[in-house]
Amino acid sequence: MVEAIEYPRTIAELSAETIVLLTPRVASEPTGRLWEINQASGGLISKLISDNVWTGAAGKVLELHFVAGLKASSLILVGMGELAKITAASAFQAAAAGAKAAASRKRSTVAFTADNLPETFHLQAIIGSLCGSVGQDLYRTERSLFPLDKIQWLDMPQKFVLEAEKTAASINWTRHMVNLPPNHLYPERFVELAEEFLQGTSVQIEVWDDRKLREQNCNALLAVAQGSIKPPRLMLVSYKPEAAPGEPGTKGAPIAIAGKGVTFDSGGLSLKPTDSMTTMKCDMAGAATAIGVIKLAAELKLKQPITVAVGLVENLISGNNFKLGDVIKSRQGKTIEILNTDAEGRVVLADVLDVLVERKPTAIVDLATLTGACVVALGTDITGIMGNDQQMIDQLRASADSAGEYAWPLPMYGFFNEQVASKIADIKNVGDGRWGGAITAAKFLENFIGNTPWCHLDIAGPAFLDKPKPWLDAGGTGCMVRTLIHWLKGPAGSIDGGVV
Ligand code: BES
Ligand code: MN
Ligand code: ZN
C-alpha cells in the first residue's frame, strides 16, 4: 500500500521507520530535505559531503542508522546525479534502488521523498519505489528481498500516487507471471491466473480451447503446440470504456495488442542447448505484458478501447512434433514452411495477428520475446521496434522515453522479404542465415498484418534479467507496460493509418 502524506513540519518528525531520500548531485552545501536532515543531525550531511562520502552521484546508495535528531531509525540516501540530466528512466531507477535497499530487511513503514525532482518524473519515481523491493525469490524459504508493504510519499499529489500504485501492480503481476516456473505455468494455468487478475474490471474475456482453435483454423498455433501434452489456448480480452453519463458509448475501433505466450520454449526438434534453454520460461513475457497493460487500462479508465489476444503454447518435443520441412496452412491462408522449430514465436503470432486483423483495429502492437538476434543487435536492455507505420514507430519510441524505458527502431527495408520466401510454400519461418534475424522475423509477421498500422516490439533482451540490477532483482522485468500505457493514454488516439 502506498499513501501520499502531508509533510510534517520537519523531516525529523516523520514517524516512518525508514526514510528514503532521493537527492540530485550536491555541490557543497545540502539543500532541500537534505538540508533539513543536516540541521536536525547537527551537520552530519555537511561532513559526509566535505569528506566525499556523499556526492549524490547517480546510482549511489548509502544507508545511515540512528541519525541524531531523526525519529526514523534509518535513512537511505539515493543519488540521482546532475539535476539537469535526470530522466524518467533515472528517476524510476533511483526510487527503485532506494526501495531495493530498503527491502534488505523487514521494515514497517518506509517514507520516500525526492529533492528537487521535476514534476514530469514524479509518476515514474513513485512506480519505481513500488517495483524495486519486489524480487523473484518466490520459492525460497529464506527471502532475499522483503517487499515494502507500507510506503508513504511526501509532497506528491494523490493522483500520481494512485496511478503509480495501479501501474506497479500491473508491472509486478507481469514480472510474477514471468518468474513462475514452467511446471507451474502452462497455457491453461496462464488463463486461470489472468482471469483471476482481471476479475473486478469491466473487460470481456473469451478463451479458445484446442477444439475452438481447430474450428478456427489456427493451424500455425496448433502446429507449435502439438508436441506438448499441455493443450494450447488463445485468450481474447477486450476493454471498452464506459460511456460518461448522458453520452453515447464509445463506438471507436480498438487498438489491438498481441502477445507471444510460449510458456516454455525448448526449441522443439531444433532443440536449444541447455544454457539457452534455462531461462525459456520467460518466453510468455509478451502475453503477460499484454494482460498487464489491458488490466491497467481498465483500472485507469482510459478512453481508448483495447483488444488483447495472446497465443499460449508450450514448444516441446514428442513423437507428434511439428517437423522441419512441414508446411502449414495458417488461419489467414498463407502457407508456412517450417525450417526451424525454434522459430516458433512468429508461427504462433501468425494466427494471433490474423484473429486481431479480422476485428479491424485502428492499429496493432505485438509484444514478443522473439529473437536472440534482437539481443545481439540492441543488447539486453533495449526493446526493438519494427513496423509498417512510421508515425506509430515514432510515437512508441517517444513514449518509451517519457515512461523511462528503452526502445529503438530497426529498419524494415523491403528486400528483407526475399529472405523469408520459400521454394515450396508462401513463406518460410527463418531467414537465409543469422544476419538481420530480428528483422527477418518481423518481416515474417508483416505477412499477417494486411494494411493495419502495426508495430512489433521484440522484448527478448529486456523482458528477463539474468543478473540483478541495482534497482531491480533478476528475473521478469515487466518491461513495456509503462511505455504502452503512456502511448495508449495519449498518442495512440491519433494514429491515422498512413501505412508505408
Ligand atoms: N524465444 C526465442 C528467442 C529468445 C532468445 C528469447 C533469447 C529470449 C532470449 C525464440 O523462440 C527463438 O528461439 N528464436 C530463434 C530464432 C532462430 C531459430 C531463427 C533465435 O533467436 O535463435
Ligand atoms: Mn524458439
Ligand atoms: Zn521462443
Side-chain angles (χ1 to χ4, degrees):
M1 194 196 63
V2 53
E3 54 175 351
I5 68 161
E6 293 271 320
Y7 199 64
R9 266 186 305 129
T10 84
I11 203 165
E13 289 170 25
L14 263 181
S15 61
E17 181 182 348
T18 296
I19 298 170
V20 176
L21 176 59
L22 315 183
T23 86
R25 191 176 250 297
V26 282
S28 49
E29 281 309 304
T31 60
R33 312 295 174 226
L34 205 53
W35 178 85
E36 284 178 24
I37 292 171
N38 198 42
Q39 293 294 103
S41 62
L44 172 67
I45 303 293
S46 287
K47 272 185 237 140
L48 293 175
I49 294 172
S50 63
D51 278 6
N52 255 324
V53 178
W54 185 249
T55 61
K60 279 278 179 307
V61 178
L62 178 66
E63 180 166 10
L64 303 166
H65 303 275
F66 311 113
V67 173
L70 290 193
K71 244 191 203 168
S73 60
S74 143
L75 170 69
I76 297 176
L77 299 176
V78 185
M80 296 191 290
E82 297 296 340
L83 190 56
K85 289 189 185 156
I86 295 175
T87 59
S90 69
F92 174 91
Q93 289 165 17
K100 194 177 171 207
S104 60
R105 59 180 169 83
K106 268 207 177 84
R107 310 195 191 223
S108 56
T109 313
V110 180
F112 282 76
T113 184
D115 263 346
N116 300 322
L117 184 66
E119 190 182 305
T120 22
F121 308 135
H122 283 184
L123 177 66
Q124 296 308 330
I126 309 175
I127 300 171
S129 72
L130 295 166
C131 292
S133 71
V134 178
Q136 64 165 347
D137 55 357
L138 310 177
Y139 298 80
R140 279 180 60 152
T141 315
E142 272 177 54
R143 293 244 145 187
S144 49
L145 286 175
F146 299 87
L148 313 180
D149 41 36
K150 199 149 181 278
I151 291 182
Q152 298 172 335
W153 265 95
L154 310 184
D155 297 335
M156 283 288 181
Q158 185 73 21
K159 64 167 186 176
F160 283 149
V161 169
L162 288 176
E163 180 170 348
E165 194 167 23
K166 289 169 177 162
T167 309
S170 269
I171 294 171
N172 287 334
W173 182 82
T174 303
R175 295 173 64 200
H176 178 81
M177 290 292 277
V178 172
N179 287 336
L180 285 176
N183 58 329
H184 292 171
L185 192 80
Y186 41 89
E188 288 166 286
R189 187 79 187 122
F190 183 106
V191 170
E192 283 169 14
L193 292 175
E195 281 174 337
E196 211 174 275
F197 180 58
L198 292 166
Q199 229 167 45
T201 68
S202 64
V203 301
Q204 278 172 351
I205 301 176
E206 196 182 320
V207 180
W208 294 4
D209 61 8
D210 27 344
R211 228 185 83 197
K212 174 82 173 178
L213 285 162
R214 245 175 282 122
E215 230 172 76
Q216 284 282 333
N217 294 316
C218 292
N219 303 319
L221 186 153
L222 285 164
V224 177
Q226 80 194 30
S228 168
I229 54 164
K230 294 274 198 292
R233 292 289 185 266
L234 188 146
M235 188 176 179
L236 279 155
V237 184
S238 57
Y239 162 69
K240 290 191 190 69
E242 269 170 45
E247 277 179 32
T250 23
K251 289 193 219 79
I255 295 271
I257 306 175
K260 170 178 174 180
V262 177
T263 57
F264 184 70
D265 181 12
S266 73
L269 292 177
S270 312
L271 192 65
K272 285 183 186 293
T274 298
D275 285 349
S276 317
M277 208 193 293
T278 46
T279 56
M280 278 304 134
K281 66 176 184 183
C282 81
D283 218 15
M284 35 55 72
T289 308
I291 300 292
V293 168
I294 199 166
K295 153 92 179 226
L296 180 55
E299 290 276 340
L300 296 177
K301 302 196 189 318
L302 295 200
K303 296 216 174 67
Q304 172 66 57
I306 300 166
T307 299
V308 158
V310 299
L312 301 160
V313 303
E314 273 191 339
N315 188 20
L316 284 188
I317 305 223
S318 80
N320 189 39
N321 256 92
F322 74 141
K323 298 172 286 293
L324 288 79
D326 278 0
V327 174
I328 299 150
K329 189 166 177 137
S330 69
R331 181 178 192 272
Q332 182 242 31
K334 282 188 186 156
T335 51
I336 304 170
E337 181 187 14
I338 301 296
L339 290 179
N340 190 320
T341 59
D342 197 13
E344 84 297 339
R346 66 197 77 182
V347 179
V348 172
L349 283 175
D351 284 346
V352 176
L353 291 171
D354 185 58
V355 169
L356 286 173
V357 167
E358 204 172 75
R359 295 174 179 227
K360 303 203 179 348
T362 50
I364 300 183
V365 180
D366 76 72
L367 289 153
T369 44
L370 205 64
T371 66
C374 195
V375 193
V376 174
L378 295 174
T380 52
D381 298 312
I382 304 175
T383 296
I385 311 180
M386 287 145 274
N388 62 2
D389 185 297
Q390 193 59 45
Q391 181 195 21
M392 205 173 149
I393 294 168
D394 294 343
Q395 286 179 352
L396 283 164
R397 229 202 67 58
S399 287
D401 269 355
S402 309
E405 298 195 279
Y406 307 109
W408 204 260
L410 294 173
M412 288 278 277
Y413 292 111
F415 61 78
F416 281 103
N417 280 317
E418 293 156 30
Q419 286 208 38
V420 287
S422 158
K423 293 194 187 72
I424 184 171
D426 293 326
I427 40 171
K428 58 183 166 72
N429 79 328
V430 287
D432 285 335
R434 290 163 48 214
W435 311 128
I439 301 168
T440 47
K443 279 287 169 191
F444 177 97
L445 296 179
E446 197 175 22
N447 274 274
F448 299 91
I449 279 300
N451 292 319
T452 314
W454 155 77
C455 274
H456 156 60
L457 300 178
D458 193 331
I459 55 172
F464 192 87
L465 296 175
D466 286 328
K467 286 188 304 248
K469 302 271 193 192
W471 61 90
L472 203 71
D473 196 10
T477 62
C479 76
M480 290 297 118
V481 171
R482 290 182 286 144
T483 297
L484 283 171
I485 209 71
H486 184 279
W487 179 68
L488 290 165
K489 271 200 278 184
S494 64
I495 297 284
D496 57 22
V499 174
V500 285

